[in-house]
Structures are given as C-alpha cells and as structure tokens.
C-alpha cells in the first residue's frame, strides 16, 4: 500500500518540470516515503531513489526523508537487512540531493537530538554531512564552521569519561565521536593547507578561522577536563589521540606557534553584551591553558616547537595559563595547572630565576593561588603536590627574588601553616648566608631586619589565638633560637641583636601573656568539663561542633577533654621553646658583659 502511494506520487511528478513542483508534492512525497520506511519497505524505497528517472525528484524532495530515515536506522538492530537498506538510502541522498537543502536537513537533525542518542546521531550523519559540504560552492567556510559549532554544542553537555573504566566503557560514545569529528574535519584542513601553499585567498582564510574555532572549542571541551595521562591497559587512549589530532590541525593551519606566544585568539566576535564578551574571553583563556598543558606536559607537538627559548621565558609565557588552571576547582583541571607549573619549573636550574620577574603580576598571583590550593583544596594529593611546587618555585629564584617572595607571602597568605613554612624557609636562607663563602646581603643586616619585623611578631598581640597560630609561632621561635645561637652579639651579622628590644616588645612579652591567658582558659574548661561529667547521668553526653558552617560528628565529654589536653600540650611545647630562647639570649648577653 505505502509503496503504491509512493509510486503514484513519483509518476505524477515525473511528467512535471522541476520549476513546477508544488509544496503539496513535497508533503505527499515525504508522507509516502516515511510510510514506506515505517512499514518495512526500505528496500523498495531504495530502488525508487536509485532509479535514474527519479533523479530530479530525489534531488529536490529527498532531503525531507532525513528525519524518518534516522529514526528507522536507530529502530532496527545492527544486523537487520532493513537497517542496511536505510543506510544505503542515506548514502544515496547525500549523493543526489540538493546540497544546500540536505545540509540544512542534516544540521536540523543533529540539533534536535539529545541525551544518549547525541553521539550516535552525530556519528551516523558525519559522513553524509561531509559529502554535502565538499559539494558546496558558496559560503563553504561558513557552513563548515556552522556544522562544527553545532556538533560541539550538542556534545558539550555530555559528561567526559575520566576513570580508566569510564574511558573503556565509553557509555555514551563520546570518545569515539570526538575522534570521528576530527576525521570529518580533515578534508577541510587539507584544503586550507593546499591553498596556504598557493596563496591566501579570503575564503580560505575564513575556512582556516572556522577550523581554529573548532580547535579552541575542542581544547575547552572535552580536553580541559579529560584524563590525558597514559593509562595501563588502554593501548590507544582515545582522548590522547584526539589531543594529538587537534594539535596537528593547529600546526598544519599555521596557528600553533602564534597561539602559544602571541596569544592570538582568531577573530573574536565583538559582543555588545559584556556578559557574552566575558564568557568568550574565559573560554579562550581555558583553551590556551589546555594547549600549553598538552605541549609542555604531555609533549604533543613538541617536535614542531622551536627549541630557542630560555626556561625562564617559557615559564613567563605559561604563568597566565597556570593561573587560569589553578583558579579552577575540578580535580582534572586543577591537576593540569599543577603539572604545567611543575614542568616549567623543572626545566630551570636553582637560583636562576631573576628577581625582576616578580614585577610581573602573574608571578605574584600564581603563588597566592598555589597557597589557596594548599590550604583549601579537599583533595589531599593535590594539597601535597602544591606544597612541593611552592618550594620548587622558591628554589628557582635568586636571593633577592626569594626575599621579595617571602615578604609577599607573609603579608598575603593569612594562614598560620603557610606562614610557618615561609619562616622556616627564611631560616634556611639565613643559614646559607652565614655558612657560605658568597656574600648574600638579602638575608643579613638591615634587609633581614626588615623581614624579621614580619616574622617575629604575634599577629594580634597577646590576644592572638595561639592554638590557631601554633605553626607560625613555633617556626618563629625556632628562627629566633637559630639566630641567637649562630650569630654572636659582637658580629651581629644578621642584625638580630640590634632589634632584640623590639623583638621582646612585639613577640616575646605578648607571647608570655598570651600563653598565661590561654593556659588558664583551657585549664578552667577542663575543670568545668570534669565537673559536668560527674553531674551527668553518663559519660556519653555529646555536644555538636560546627566548623566552616559544616556540622562535625558529635563529641562525647571524653573526646572534648582529649582535645583540651592536646591544646595544653601545645602551649607547654611553645612555652618550653620560648624559655630556651630567653635562656640563650640571657647567656649570650652575660657572656658579652663578662668579656
């Protein structure tokens, strides 16, 4: 029945001129063709389409069959003959239909797909879409760009497989689809390369620009969040292959080096809406940061890279990208920032980075971002790695650079643990300056005095929370103890003896007062808890504790007492070191007076 209806419409249209086809004819052809497909007459429909007499009809009306054709292909099983017939019909339509009409029909089908069928639909339609685009004469660059943008926009909402198991399963087909899209783009890349060898015609420049946009989009998604380390058991990592292909395209169209060093972003659209402009700028920054990671960490395209740049210049070029990545919170992206920073630093020799680099804003901002990762990131291995990288960064600077960086971090970190770590580094640098033959003026004399003003003080005087600041206080006391032991008052190389009265006023005396107040407070709390425990019906009385707005597990009275005793132990430890420092100062002063 359906085939008869189709044949009747075909016979009527065969006697008409192309210009005489009416809207009614298009609708009847679409309905009859759709019915043939749905009733299982795909083989008969294929014969109708292949018939040379129907060439003009198919050219004008065939594109209307795309939507029902796609539905039927997904309806039939892989081994079904009817599915095979549908695929052949799709191939015939790509060859015979009006390219412009079929192009719009294919794009509409891609746009309408969603969810789990996105990758299947895209992979099904890539080949006919490529065939049609290669036939287009007018607005070819625009059409290629529109196709790639539409495809990437449909893929972007899909979650990127991250673990080894997810990549192997490729549940939604994203890994396979991304590599299929690259293959789809290759003929257009080759066209640009050929024309670049001849000349730079306007249309070819437009096509090149569209391919550049596609690469930038691909760097942002899926590569920015993808797991790109080589995984055991996966012979050809799909995202590593995809990344290699994207870098190769950028190299082929002559954009890889300009992107890396000139921060050329192509023809960015001029947005009247500031919000759109900000989104465009952010996406571009993310893409360039991912590209740097691919080149300098994963070594994709490194063979094409000119080996004429100094390690310090490469670090300078990458600091903007490192900052972009470190500001992200996703593990996959944040780890890329740490890896890129580490890779750039490992190329350099210790003490080789000139202090003048700290005049660049990024060289101040990035260590501050690193501190945030160290103190706020919930992922332990990233916190540990960021601490190691901070030390690596410190080690690369010359003496003045280290001095300036220490001052900056002491003023901006706002974290006792970080401040304690920096003060320990100051002690190490003072040790080197006192024991080495080289004359390091930055960790002696008046320069060091200026640094000690920041290191040897209590942030809020006697009212400082000693428990919260215990790391910093212990580091400061250890620094002061070292200075008193190593530097004689008669030599006074470090200047510590010159500012001893100031240290006592700003650090030692307030610390004594604070310790007395804190110990008295905690001892009273312990006494109070013990009395409450005796009055309570059981020792399992609990209290709730809130930290940073999150409710912690309930604590029994015994647990509370344990915490309070631990605090007292910390105060005793600080007090013993403080007593030792004051004893050393007294002994040194007495020895000088005796002499």
């Amino acid at each position: 029945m359906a085939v008869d209806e189709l044949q009747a419409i075909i016979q009527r249209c065969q006697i008409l001129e192309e210009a005489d086809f009416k809207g009614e004819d298009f609708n009847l052809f679409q309905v009859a063709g759709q019915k043939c497909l749905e009733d299982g007459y795909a083989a008969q429909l294929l014969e109708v389409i292949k018939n040379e007499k129907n060439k003009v009809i198919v050219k004008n009306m065939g594109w209307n069959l795309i939507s029902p054709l796609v539905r039927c292909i997904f309806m039939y099983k892989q081994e079904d003959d009817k599915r095979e017939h549908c695929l052949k019909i799709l191939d015939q339509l790509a060859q015979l239909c009006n390219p412009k009409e079929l192009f719009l029909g294919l794009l509409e089908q891609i746009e309408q797909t969603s969810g789990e069928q996105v990758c299947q639909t895209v992979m099904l339609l890539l080949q006919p879409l490529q065939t049609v685009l290669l036939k287009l004469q007018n607005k070819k660059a625009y059409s290629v760009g529109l196709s790639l943008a539409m495809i990437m926009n449909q893929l972007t909402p899909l979650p990127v497989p991250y673990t080894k198991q997810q990549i192997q399963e490729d549940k939604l087909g994203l890994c396979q689809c991304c590599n299929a899209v690259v293959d789809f783009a290759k003929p257009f890349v080759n066209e640009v390369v050929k024309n670049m060898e001849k000349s730079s015609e306007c249309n070819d420049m437009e096509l090149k620009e569209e391919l550049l946009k596609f690469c930038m989009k691909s760097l942002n998604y899926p590569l920015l969040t993808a797991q790109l380390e080589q995984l055991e058991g996966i012979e050809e990592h799909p995202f590593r292959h995809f990344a290699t292909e994207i870098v190769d395209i950028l190299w082929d169209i002559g954009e890889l080096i300009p992107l890396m060093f000139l921060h050329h972003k192509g023809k960015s659209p001029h947005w009247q809406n500031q919000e759109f402009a900000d989104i465009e700028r952010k996406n571009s920054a993310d893409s360039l940061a991912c590209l740097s990671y691919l080149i300098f960490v994963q070594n994709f395209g490194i063979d094409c890279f000119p080996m004429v740049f100094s390690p310090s210049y490469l670090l300078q070029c990458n600091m903007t990208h490192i900052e972009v990545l470190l500001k992200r919170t996703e593990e996959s992206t944040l780890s890329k920032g740490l890896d890129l920073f580490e890779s750039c630093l490992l190329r350099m020799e210790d003490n080789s980075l000139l202090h003048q680099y700290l005049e660049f804003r990024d060289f101040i901002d990035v260590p501050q971002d690193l501190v945030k990762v160290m103190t706020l990131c919930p992922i332990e291995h990233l916190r540990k790695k960021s601490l190691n990288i901070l030390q690596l960064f410190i080690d690369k600077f010359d003496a003045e650079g280290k001095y300036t960086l220490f001052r900056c971090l002491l003023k901006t970190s706002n974290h006792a643990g970080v401040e304690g770590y920096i003060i320990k580094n100051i002690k190490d640098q003072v040790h080197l300056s006192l024991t080495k033959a080289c004359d390091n003026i930055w960790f002696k004399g008046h320069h060091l005095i200026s640094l000690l003003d920041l290191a040897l003080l209590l942030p809020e005087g006697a009212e400082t929370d000693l428990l919260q600041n215990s790391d910093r206080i212990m580091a400061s006391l250890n620094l002061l103890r070292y200075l008193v032991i190593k530097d004689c008052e008669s030599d006074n190389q470090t200047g510590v003896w010159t500012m001893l009265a100031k240290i006592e006023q700003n650090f030692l005396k307030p610390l004594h007062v604070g310790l007395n107040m804190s110990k008295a407070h905690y001892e009273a709390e312990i006494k109070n808890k013990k009395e409450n425990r005796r009055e309570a019906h059981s020792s399992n009385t609990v209290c709730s504790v809130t930290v940073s707005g999150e409710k912690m597990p309930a604590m029994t009275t015994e647990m509370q007492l344990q915490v309070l005793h631990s605090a007292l132990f910390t105060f005793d430890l600080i007090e013993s070191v403080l007593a030792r420092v004051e004893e050393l100062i007294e002994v040194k002063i007495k020895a000088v007076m005796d002499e």
Side-chain angles (χ1 to χ4, degrees):
M1 182 69 181
V3 178
D4 293 339
E5 286 179 17
L6 181 64
Q7 287 289 3
I9 296 160
I10 292 289
Q11 285 171 8
R12 198 182 83 174
C13 291
Q14 277 178 345
I15 60 174
L16 296 174
E17 291 295 324
E18 189 173 345
D20 295 331
F21 291 152
K22 296 176 182 175
E24 184 186 353
D25 299 324
F26 285 85
N27 291 335
L28 289 171
F29 178 84
Q30 182 182 3
V31 170
Q34 182 173 330
K35 202 168 181 188
C36 284
L37 290 168
E38 289 171 352
D39 291 353
Y41 297 114
Q44 289 83 340
L45 179 59
L46 177 59
E47 289 305 315
V48 169
I49 288 171
K50 287 169 72 175
N51 191 329
E52 190 70 22
K53 293 178 183 177
N54 303 328
K55 192 173 180 181
V56 175
I57 299 169
V58 174
K59 176 189 171 187
N60 287 276
M61 303 183 189
W63 66 273
N64 279 308
L65 296 176
I66 292 295
S67 182
L69 196 56
V70 169
R71 278 201 305 274
C72 289
I73 289 171
F74 289 138
M75 186 174 67
Y76 296 128
K77 291 182 180 176
Q78 196 76 28
E79 63 280 359
D80 198 320
D81 288 342
K82 291 174 185 173
R83 187 177 193 275
E84 192 60 35
H85 291 138
C86 289
L87 290 171
K88 287 179 179 176
I89 293 171
L90 184 60
D91 184 53
Q92 284 292 314
L93 293 178
Q95 302 297 331
L96 299 172
C97 285
N98 181 311
K100 183 181 175 184
E101 300 292 345
L102 186 59
F103 167 68
L104 294 173
L106 291 168
L107 272 199
E108 185 181 10
Q109 195 59 40
I110 291 172
E111 185 181 21
Q112 288 175 354
T113 188
S114 61
E116 295 184 5
Q117 281 203 330
V118 168
C119 291
Q120 295 176 51
T121 305
V122 169
M123 284 190 284
L124 175 66
L125 300 181
L126 278 177
Q127 187 57 57
L129 186 59
Q130 185 189 68
T131 303
V132 169
L133 287 169
L134 289 170
K135 286 183 180 181
L136 285 177
Q137 299 301 320
N138 298 325
K139 294 191 174 179
K140 185 176 186 177
Y142 170 78
S143 302
V144 170
L146 187 61
S147 303
L148 290 169
M150 178 72 72
I151 291 166
M152 294 308 292
N153 285 342
Q154 289 296 86
L155 295 180
T156 301
L158 302 179
V160 179
Y162 188 71
T163 65
K164 178 182 173 182
Q165 185 181 349
Q166 288 170 345
I167 292 169
Q168 285 175 321
E169 286 177 359
D170 194 18
K171 198 172 179 182
L172 298 177
L174 182 65
C175 301
Q176 189 182 351
C177 189
C178 286
N179 285 297
V181 175
V182 167
D183 290 338
F184 164 81
K186 280 182 180 176
F188 310 109
V189 176
N190 294 337
E191 192 175 318
V192 169
V193 172
K194 268 186 199 172
N195 287 305
M196 280 170 62
E197 290 168 359
K198 296 176 190 174
S199 63
S200 56
E201 295 174 17
C202 179
N203 195 48
D204 297 322
M205 291 302 292
E206 288 174 10
L207 183 55
K208 176 179 172 179
E209 198 68 40
E210 296 299 342
L211 291 169
L212 175 57
K213 287 177 189 174
F214 162 66
C215 290
M216 292 291 278
K217 180 72 175 174
S218 300
L219 289 165
N220 198 321
Y221 174 93
L223 293 177
L224 186 64
T225 51
Q227 162 66 271
L228 293 168
E229 297 296 334
Q230 192 65 61
L231 297 173
E232 191 179 340
I234 300 182
E235 192 171 330
E236 186 169 23
H237 191 311
F239 287 127
R240 286 179 67 85
H241 180 264
F242 181 63
T244 306
E245 295 283 2
I246 292 297
V247 172
D248 285 348
I249 290 174
L250 288 171
W251 174 254
D252 289 341
I253 65 174
E255 288 293 333
L256 185 62
I257 303 303
L259 278 175
M260 290 307 304
F261 292 106
L262 304 179
H263 291 192
H264 167 66
K265 302 179 179 62
K267 293 179 184 174
S268 297
H270 176 70
W271 298 103
Q272 290 184 344
N273 186 314
Q274 186 58 44
E275 188 179 345
F276 287 165
D278 291 341
I279 291 170
E280 178 76 19
R281 199 178 301 113
K282 180 187 177 301
N283 288 342
S284 182
D286 288 345
S287 300
L288 290 171
C290 183
L291 181 60
S292 275
Y293 168 82
L294 295 179
I295 291 172
F296 294 108
V297 179
Q298 296 298 337
N299 294 325
F300 296 141
I302 199 73
D303 295 339
C304 312
F305 210 73
M307 294 299 173
V308 294
F309 302 109
S310 69
S312 54
Y313 178 70
L314 290 178
L315 176 64
Q316 182 190 342
C317 289
N318 277 308
M319 284 302 262
T320 303
H321 307 314
I322 292 164
E323 184 180 8
V324 166
L325 295 171
L326 292 187
K327 287 190 186 300
R328 299 289 288 262
T329 54
E330 309 93 329
E331 179 182 0
S332 56
T333 310
L334 187 54
S335 63
K336 285 182 177 67
L338 293 174
D339 288 343
L340 180 57
F341 199 7
E342 182 180 47
S343 175
C344 291
L345 292 172
L346 288 174
R347 296 169 192 269
M348 307 179 68
E349 294 182 9
D350 286 355
N351 309 306
S352 65
L353 191 57
L354 301 176
H355 62 274
Q356 286 92 341
Y357 279 96
L358 287 168
E359 294 172 11
F360 296 109
R361 183 186 61 81
D362 294 335
F363 279 77
I364 294 294
D365 290 346
V366 167
Q368 291 178 15
D369 289 332
L370 205 57
V371 165
K372 288 175 185 172
V373 178
M374 286 162 48
T375 56
L376 300 175
C377 180
I379 304 162
E380 185 182 4
H381 74 93
L382 294 183
R383 291 200 305 273
K384 288 180 178 178
K385 184 164 187 172
S386 61
L387 177 62
N388 294 335
I389 291 172
L390 178 63
Q391 187 60 59
L392 203 56
F393 188 56
I394 291 168
D395 293 343
K396 300 307 169 186
F397 273 103
D398 59 18
E400 187 177 347
K402 290 183 176 73
Y403 175 87
T404 307
L405 189 58
F406 293 158
R407 285 185 66 86
C408 171
L409 290 174
L410 282 175
K411 287 180 178 180
T412 61
S413 66
N414 296 318
H415 188 279
V418 176
E419 290 163 1
Y421 189 78
I422 297 302
I423 291 167
K424 178 186 173 297
N425 263 276
I426 293 171
K427 181 171 84 72
D428 294 342
Q429 291 305 313
V430 172
H431 176 72
L432 287 173
S433 70
L434 292 176
T435 53
K436 270 189 169 184
C438 63
D439 187 25
N440 184 350
I441 63 166
W442 292 98
F443 292 94
K444 289 181 184 177
H446 71 277
H447 287 301
L448 181 60
I449 287 173
S450 176
L451 203 52
L452 294 179
D453 279 338
L454 294 173
L456 302 179
L457 62 79
L458 288 180
E460 295 166 34
E463 294 179 2
T464 300
D465 185 336
L466 301 188
L467 202 58
Q468 188 76 30
N469 286 274
S470 59
D471 288 342
R472 177 194 167 113
I473 292 166
M474 287 299 292
S476 298
L477 287 171
N478 282 328
L479 170 61
L480 183 55
R481 178 171 60 178
Y482 174 83
L483 294 173
V484 171
I485 291 171
K486 285 290 183 183
D487 193 14
C488 298
E489 189 175 354
S490 54
D491 295 337
N492 196 22
Q493 293 181 68
T494 62
V496 68
W497 296 101
T498 307
M499 62 178 301
L500 192 57
K502 192 175 181 181
I503 293 169
E504 287 181 344
Q505 187 66 33
N506 293 341
F507 183 52
L508 301 180
K509 284 182 180 177
L511 185 54
H512 267 297
V513 175
L515 280 168
N516 291 335
M517 288 166 58
S518 298
K519 287 178 75 175
H521 172 73
Y522 276 80
E523 284 166 354
E525 278 292 310
I526 289 171
K527 184 180 177 184
N528 187 36
K529 293 290 176 192
K530 286 180 177 177
E531 287 174 359
N532 289 344
R533 183 178 59 181
R534 281 196 292 270
E535 292 171 6
H537 295 295
S538 106
S539 63
N540 290 327
T541 306
V542 298
C543 74
S544 64
V545 178
T546 302
V547 177
S548 300
E550 290 187 22
K551 203 168 184 180
M552 303 301 286
M555 292 177 69
T556 64
T557 305
E558 290 300 331
M559 291 164 72
Q560 294 171 51
L561 283 168
Q562 196 175 351
V563 170
L564 293 168
H565 280 297
S566 176
L568 276 181
F569 176 77
T570 301
F571 298 145
D572 288 341
L573 190 62
I574 292 172
E575 195 169 38
S576 67
V577 179
L578 174 60
R580 178 60 180 151
V581 169
E582 290 180 327
E583 182 187 337
L584 287 167
I585 291 171
E586 191 179 331
V587 168
K588 284 280 184 123
I589 291 173
K590 189 172 183 299
V592 170
M593 290 176 68
D594 289 346
E595 285 177 15

